[in-house]
Amino acid sequence: MNIPDYITSVLNILYSHGFEGYLVGGCVRDALMGKTAHDFDLTTDATPEEMLEVFKDHRIIETGLKHGTVTVVSGGENVEITTYRIDGAYLDNRRPSDVTFTRNLREDLSRRDFTVNALAYSTQSGLVDCFDGLSDLKAGVIRCVGNPDTRFGEDGLRIMRALRFSAVLGFDIDHSTAKSIISNKLLLRNISSERIFAELKKLVCGQKAASVISEYSEVFFSLFESVAHNKEMFCKNATTLSLVPNDHCARLAALLWGFDDSSVTSFMHSLKSDNHTHNTVRTLCSYYPQKLSYDKYFIRRLMSEIDDELIRALADINSVHHADFDRRMFLEQYSAQKALNPCVKLSQLAVTGSDIISFGVPKGPKVGEIMQKILYAVIDDECANTFDDIKKYCMIIYNS
Ligand code: ATP
Ligand code: MG
């Protein structure tokens, strides 16, 4: 396993004080799959107090102390180390009411969601695999650690996580875990929108997103009323995901393609989406049902509303839905326009808001409205992007 020095040095410090130290979860799973791990979670039998003592020469951030997490700064990087934990009773299908620490690694691994996420690796003693995670990893299977009904009952988010890992890793979901996902789907309603959205964003970008969403569409319909009224369209859209770039805005737009603006808005709203994602998805979806035009003015308007990579995504979505749309020709025209660097943004206009005011337009919303009209006129070649021409044009539209 390829472990960076700043992690090895933290583990060695734990070992030298007689403690255990393991890499655990996603980084072990990913490394065994031959992928480069992006973050390293460490777990140890040392209590938080013992860690503070062991790492007293390091900078320490004490943010998660209550839950057993200490962040040690090693080689300029933050390293999270969590004491082996046993979760207390889950009273609300969300979080344990309390956590207790243990010196037994197996107990910590048994609280983890899936067997492939319950693998631990020590540079001293090698791999620990208490729940046959390695054979599930080799077979490409997502399986709950322990009884699926119990595990989903503890934390409903795990339903979404199972779908996410299946989509992203390209794994199948074990039969009894799959059955339990369907029968426990309503538990997701107890989970905060932010946590669901974080998983959904990763899920839609997964290599197997299309088949996971199609196969588990019931889960989505019970969670999102806004799309449940047209199940057929949602499921058909799901099959198009792999044809769209791996970007969560593009994929969500592909999934919601053809739904009206109020359904798209309420879908994004129910997920408490950040404004950027919400607006981008809405803008992309607003191009339904028209076929993208190859006309330069249409393309420039598009450039004024949508960022580069999403224009390509929109072209991909279009080619899925319009058999006669020539994606290559469209992208050629688009590249030709881009090369000309036309004025497509307010910030590229030869005038500013203060100039508009100096032309006699009173301060306030009117200034913005006029600037937008000027921009469209410049885009449409009805007005040149020069101070004098814009001034003339501004006077005409302001006085008309
Ligand atoms: P990635 O970071 O690549 O998305 P990961 O497996 O590291 O995947 P995290 O959400 O970072 O996922 O969680 C780290 C580990 O913590 C998981 O591998 C799993 O062992 C455990 N874990 C996280 N969330 C839960 C949960 N809701 N229930 C049980 N165990 C969990
Ligand atoms: Mg992780």
Side-chain angles (χ1 to χ4, degrees), residues 161-179:
R161 285 175 61 86
L163 302 182
R164 186 259 279 198
F165 285 117
S166 169
V168 171
L169 303 174
F171 284 14
D172 290 329
I173 300 179
D174 151 72
H175 181 69
S176 73
T177 298
K179 232 175 96 191

Side-chain angles (χ1 to χ4, degrees), residues 6-7 9-11 13-14 40 42 44 46-48 50-65 68-82:
Y6 68 90
I7 298 285
S9 100
V10 166
L11 288 171
I13 294 170
L14 285 169
F40 295 87
L42 268 56
T44 179
T47 62
E50 286 165 339
M51 282 196 266
L52 295 181
E53 177 59 26
V54 166
F55 293 102
K56 62 174 185 284
D57 298 336
H58 287 64
R59 202 159 88 73
I60 288 178
I61 305 163
E62 297 188 7
T63 41
L65 223 53
T69 303
V70 169
T71 302
V72 173
V73 183
S74 163
E77 303 279 345
N78 287 0
V79 182
E80 275 197 3
I81 321 171
T82 307

Side-chain angles (χ1 to χ4, degrees), residues 24-27 29-30 38-39 41 87 90 94 108-109 111-114 116-119 151 154-158 161 164-165 168-169 195 199 202:
V24 71
C27 62
R29 179 196 67 222
D30 290 347
H38 53 89
D39 61 353
D41 293 319
D87 291 336
Y90 283 81
R94 264 186 296 204
D108 179 273
L109 296 178
R111 77 176 166 88
R112 295 178 182 270
D113 45 9
F114 308 112
V116 294
N117 286 349
L119 292 158
R151 303 312 309 283
E154 290 169 352
D155 176 3
L157 183 72
R158 290 174 187 156
R161 285 175 61 86
R164 186 259 279 198
F165 285 117
V168 171
L169 303 174
R195 293 174 81 203
E199 296 296 335
K202 293 181 186 167

Side-chain angles (χ1 to χ4, degrees), residues 67 100 167 185:
H67 297 103
T100 46
K185 59 182 189 286

